[in-house]
Amino acid sequence: SELSIVEPLGVGLKRDWNQRAPYFVSDITDGLNLKCLASTLFMFFACLAPAIAFGSLLMVKTQGTMGALEMVLSTSGCGMLYALLSGQPVTIIGSTGPVLAFTAIMYSTCQQLGGIPFLPSYAWVGMWTSLILALCAFFSASNLVIRHLTRFTDEIFAGLISVIFVAEAGKDIVNLLFQPSVAAGTALLSISMAIATCTFALKLISLRSSNYFNKRVRDLIADFGPTISIIACSAICLWMSSRYDIALNFLQFPSTLTPTSARPWLVNLFDAPVWVRWASIIPAIMVSILMYFDQVRRFHFRSVNKERVH
C-alpha cells in the first residue's frame, strides 16, 4: 500500500523494526568473508580520507577550536553505531561540504556577535537538530523521499557529490603547482603519487576481467585493489621523501588523545547565554533540512526500501 507522508507516532519505526529484526544476526554473519573484508578496508579509506580533509579545513575555519582528531573520532563513533543500528551498514558516514560551510559560518557569526562561546552554541544547535530529526523519524517524514523522489534524483545527487570530491582532490593537487612555498620536488612527488595511486588501483581492479591467474585469485586481487594501491604508493612516497630529502606535508596529530585546542572533551552547555540556547533552534532547523536532503543522495536507502528502483 502507498505510504502516507506523515504517519502516527512510532508506526514507521515499528514497521522497520519488524522487517529488519529477523535478519539482524544474518546481516552480520553473512559478512564474515573476504569480500566483506575488502569492502571494509575500502570503506575505511573512503571514510578516513574525507574525515581528515574536512577536519583539516575545520581547524582552519574555526581557528583551531576543532580539527582532524575530533572529526576522525566522531566519524568512527557515529559510523559504528549507524552500521549496527540503522540496517544500512554500507552507507558512508561523515561530514560533507555543506556541513563544513555551515560550521564555518556559525563560528564567524559567534565571533561577530560579541564573542559568544562557539562550542556551547554549536552543541545546542546539535541537540536541537537531533530532536528535530528524531521527530522526523518518529513520524516517518522520510516517506516523502520514498513517494516523490525517483532513482534519477538519487543518481543526480550521488553524481554531484562524486564530482565535488573529485574536483576538491584535483584542486588540491593542481594548487601545489602554484604555491610559491611548495618546492618543485614536493609538487612533483605529490602529483606523481596521486596519479600512481589511482592508476594502480584501476589496473588491479581490471584484473577481474583479464586472463591472468585463475578466477579466485583475480577476484581477490581486484577486491583488495584500492587498499593495495593506497598502502603500496604511500610506502613508496614515504621512502622517496626520506631517500631524496623531499619535504612533504604529513597530517599532524597530537601524541596523546586530547582535543585540538586546550580544552576538556566535555563542553559546558550552560556557558552559552540563555537566549542563545533558544535561538539555536533557527540554525538547527536549517541543519535539519540539510541533513534530511543529504540522505537523498544515499541511494542505499531507496534500494533497500523501494523495489521499483531496480
Side-chain angles (χ1 to χ4, degrees), residues 90-251:
V90 296
T91 301
I92 297 178
I93 298 298
S95 183
T96 59
V99 175
L100 175 65
F102 170 83
T103 304
I105 292 173
M106 183 173 176
Y107 179 82
S108 62
T109 302
C110 288
Q111 301 306 307
Q112 293 171 6
L113 293 177
I116 296 174
F118 167 69
L119 288 175
S121 304
Y122 195 60
W124 277 102
V125 172
M127 293 174 61
W128 284 115
T129 302
S130 299
L131 176 61
I132 294 171
L133 292 178
L135 291 175
C136 290
F138 287 138
F139 291 99
S140 305
S142 58
N143 290 348
L144 175 65
V145 177
I146 298 177
R147 284 188 56 179
H148 297 288
L149 297 179
T150 65
R151 179 65 176 270
F152 174 78
T153 310
D154 294 334
E155 297 293 350
I156 290 298
F157 271 88
L160 173 63
I161 298 301
S162 299
V163 169
I164 290 175
F165 274 102
V166 173
E168 287 296 323
K171 182 177 69 175
D172 291 338
I173 294 173
V174 173
N175 284 342
L176 293 174
L177 299 173
F178 300 97
Q179 294 180 5
S181 59
V182 177
T186 301
L188 178 61
L189 179 59
S190 300
I191 295 174
S192 299
M193 287 297 102
I195 297 174
T197 302
C198 180
T199 303
F200 189 31
L202 292 175
K203 289 294 184 181
L204 292 177
I205 293 174
S206 67
L207 284 178
R208 193 187 305 274
S209 57
S210 69
N211 296 323
Y212 297 105
F213 312 110
N214 57 44
K215 186 178 185 304
R216 184 174 181 179
V217 174
R218 291 198 304 267
D219 288 342
L220 184 64
I221 295 175
D223 289 337
F224 287 91
T227 303
I228 295 173
S229 177
I230 292 173
I231 294 176
C233 291
S234 297
I236 294 172
C237 186
L238 183 61
W239 175 80
M240 292 187 66
S241 64
S242 60
R243 174 68 176 79
Y244 297 101
D245 195 22
I246 300 176
L248 293 177
N249 292 324
F250 293 97
L251 181 66

